[in-house]
Amino acid sequence: MIQFAHTYNDIISIENLLGAWQEFIKGKRKKKDVQEFQLRLMDNIFSLHQELKDKTYQHEPYKHFKISDPKPRDIHKASVRDRLLHRALYRKLYPFFDRVFATDSYSCRLQKGTHKAVETFRRYFFRVSKNNTKTVWVLKCDIKKFFANIDHFLLYQILDKYIPNKDILWLIQNIVESFCSTNKGIGLPLGNLTSQLLVNIYMNEFDQYVKHNLKIKYYIRYADDFVILSGDKKELKVVLRYIVRYLHEKLKLELHPDKVFIQTVASGVDFLGWVNFPKHRVLRTSTKRRMIKRINENPTPQSIISYIGLLKHGNAYGLQNKISKFLK
């Protein structure tokens, strides 16, 4: 197993903190808390560096708020100082762990994302169906309260396999322990950049189990959603039992009971905002309604152009024409 080679000093160095600041500030220059931090930027960075060096650093409390995107979500926003540290840690950890992750993990990774995942779904369908000549069954699952149920102790056990440096592990633990959901030692905050990486590290254990132990070839995961394609419905039912057991016993996670399906692609598989059919895909109705609502509320050229770009990934010519009228 390859191991993370950077030192603690590589992460907390002034150089890395300054580099993290340049990345962090993009798109945030008008935010009041960011402007306040920037007024004494070097003093704040030197102070953070010294606290990390002396091991006196403590993560500050979060600001909590709710969003609907589209379902209600609890967001916990860290201070600028802490988010800067999250970025500094992320920019060293991510390149290493991205090499460790399974190919078919698509969430919060460079050169991946929802569009690539949906394209892979289409490509896998044609392979399993022998160019649309055979029926393809899809097992579709959703993990229940994904971020809120990440077990801290299990996460540390996983990290310990890859990171030999105890100071780095101390720093990660400081960030992780700054938050809990329902019970102490459980849950990661949705708003943290580090949370996106840590859940992928956590779920990589599952990805590797599916690929190497269960020998599943046509598997795609995006965050808490995953699908498996097969020409054999019975095989998927057997695989599902192994998946439920592994998630429960090894990762203390459960599947959402109302979001587990085995269905054919011909009947339409709803995955990552698109309903996928053998020869085409259409935008999910709820996604379409949300898009129209947002455009009506804020019809800026930038948002309209980005939505048109999204629609080009599916069969949505009529909808493209409809929202294009807002540009005129």
Side-chain angles (χ1 to χ4, degrees):
M1 180 179 289
I2 61 170
Q3 293 200 311
F4 185 67
H6 282 291
T7 66
Y8 181 66
N9 288 333
D10 290 336
I11 292 169
I12 71 167
S13 69
I14 299 294
E15 180 185 18
N16 190 45
L17 290 172
L18 282 170
W21 176 257
Q22 294 304 317
E23 294 174 6
F24 169 78
I25 201 172
K26 291 176 182 175
K28 302 184 183 74
R29 294 180 187 276
K30 294 182 180 179
K31 301 286 186 181
K32 185 181 178 183
D33 55 351
V34 174
Q35 290 175 345
E36 288 173 353
F37 190 91
Q38 192 168 25
L39 281 174
R40 299 180 63 249
L41 178 62
M42 291 313 299
D43 287 344
N44 286 327
I45 284 181
F46 277 117
S47 174
L48 176 58
H49 168 75
Q50 195 62 46
E51 286 181 33
L52 291 165
K53 186 177 178 181
D54 296 340
K55 298 283 200 69
T56 58
Y57 166 80
Q58 283 295 320
H59 200 285
E60 295 175 356
Y62 293 87
K63 288 183 179 178
H64 170 249
F65 57 95
K66 293 179 180 288
I67 63 168
S68 295
D69 187 31
K71 58 185 178 182
R73 295 181 186 275
D74 288 296
I75 302 295
H76 293 82
K77 182 181 177 183
S79 67
V80 172
R81 164 182 170 272
D82 292 325
R83 281 183 285 154
L84 169 59
L85 176 59
H86 298 169
R87 173 68 65 173
L89 181 63
Y90 179 89
R91 70 199 304 261
K92 294 298 183 183
L93 289 180
Y94 173 79
F96 167 78
F97 278 105
D98 193 57
R99 300 197 306 271
V100 172
F101 294 152
T103 304
D104 288 328
S105 163
Y106 285 84
S107 175
C108 301
R109 296 179 65 189
L110 297 175
Q111 310 303 320
K112 296 284 187 176
T114 55
H115 300 323
K116 289 284 179 69
V118 171
E119 287 298 330
T120 300
F121 182 96
R122 181 174 178 79
R123 189 171 72 251
Y124 282 179
F125 164 75
F126 279 108
R127 287 184 189 173
V128 178
S129 69
K130 309 293 184 187
N131 287 325
N132 201 19
T133 60
K134 296 181 180 295
T135 299
V136 177
W137 293 89
V138 178
L139 168 63
K140 183 179 182 299
C141 302
D142 183 297
I143 296 172
K144 187 178 180 181
K145 295 182 179 178
F146 185 39
F147 278 79
N149 284 315
I150 300 297
D151 185 279
H152 294 181
F153 179 71
L154 292 178
L155 176 60
Y156 301 146
Q157 286 187 316
I158 296 165
L159 289 167
D160 193 57
K161 294 189 297 184
Y162 294 101
I163 302 175
N165 189 300
K166 299 304 179 186
D167 291 334
I168 296 174
L169 291 172
W170 168 84
L171 178 57
I172 295 172
Q173 184 172 354
N174 196 310
I175 295 170
V176 170
E177 296 297 330
S178 67
F179 176 86
C180 63
S181 53
T182 51
N183 298 305
K184 186 175 175 58
I186 303 292
L188 295 174
L190 270 173
N192 281 8
L193 177 65
T194 47
S195 296
Q196 298 173 9
L197 176 60
L198 292 172
V199 294
N200 267 342
I201 294 170
Y202 198 83
M203 284 302 294
N204 184 56
E205 299 293 297
F206 175 68
D207 296 337
Q208 301 298 340
Y209 171 75
V210 170
K211 297 297 288 185
H212 299 294
N213 293 74
L214 297 182
K215 308 292 184 185
I216 302 299
K217 194 172 182 180
Y218 303 109
Y219 162 80
I220 307 165
R221 182 180 65 82
Y222 187 95
D224 54 351
D225 288 337
F226 62 90
V227 293
I228 296 173
L229 290 78
S230 173
D232 187 343
K233 184 179 181 180
K234 290 181 181 177
E235 178 192 37
L236 292 179
K237 288 182 176 180
V238 173
V239 165
L240 177 59
R241 290 200 292 270
Y242 282 106
I243 284 172
V244 168
R245 185 187 305 165
Y246 182 89
L247 287 172
H248 175 73
E249 293 179 358
K250 301 296 183 180
L251 298 177
K252 296 186 179 179
L253 295 172
E254 309 291 339
L255 295 180
H256 197 298
D258 300 327
K259 297 181 180 180
V260 177
F261 303 100
I262 297 178
Q263 60 193 102
T264 63
V265 177
S267 67
V269 176
D270 189 336
F271 183 52
L272 302 180
W274 293 94
V275 181
N276 298 268
F277 294 93
K279 294 184 178 180
H280 70 289
R281 56 176 172 259
V282 296
L283 205 62
R284 183 191 296 158
T285 302
S286 60
T287 306
K288 190 188 307 180
R289 287 173 181 163
R290 192 164 69 253
M291 180 186 295
I292 296 297
K293 181 182 176 183
R294 287 179 176 175
I295 291 172
N296 283 324
E297 291 173 350
N298 185 30
T300 62
Q302 294 90 340
S303 64
I304 294 167
I305 290 168
S306 68
Y307 282 131
I308 291 172
L310 165 69
L311 295 172
K312 288 180 179 177
H313 290 275
N315 301 80
Y317 183 74
L319 189 55
Q320 285 183 58
N321 285 340
K322 185 176 181 179
I323 68 172
S324 293
K325 293 175 182 177
F326 284 90
L327 289 172
K328 297 176 183 178

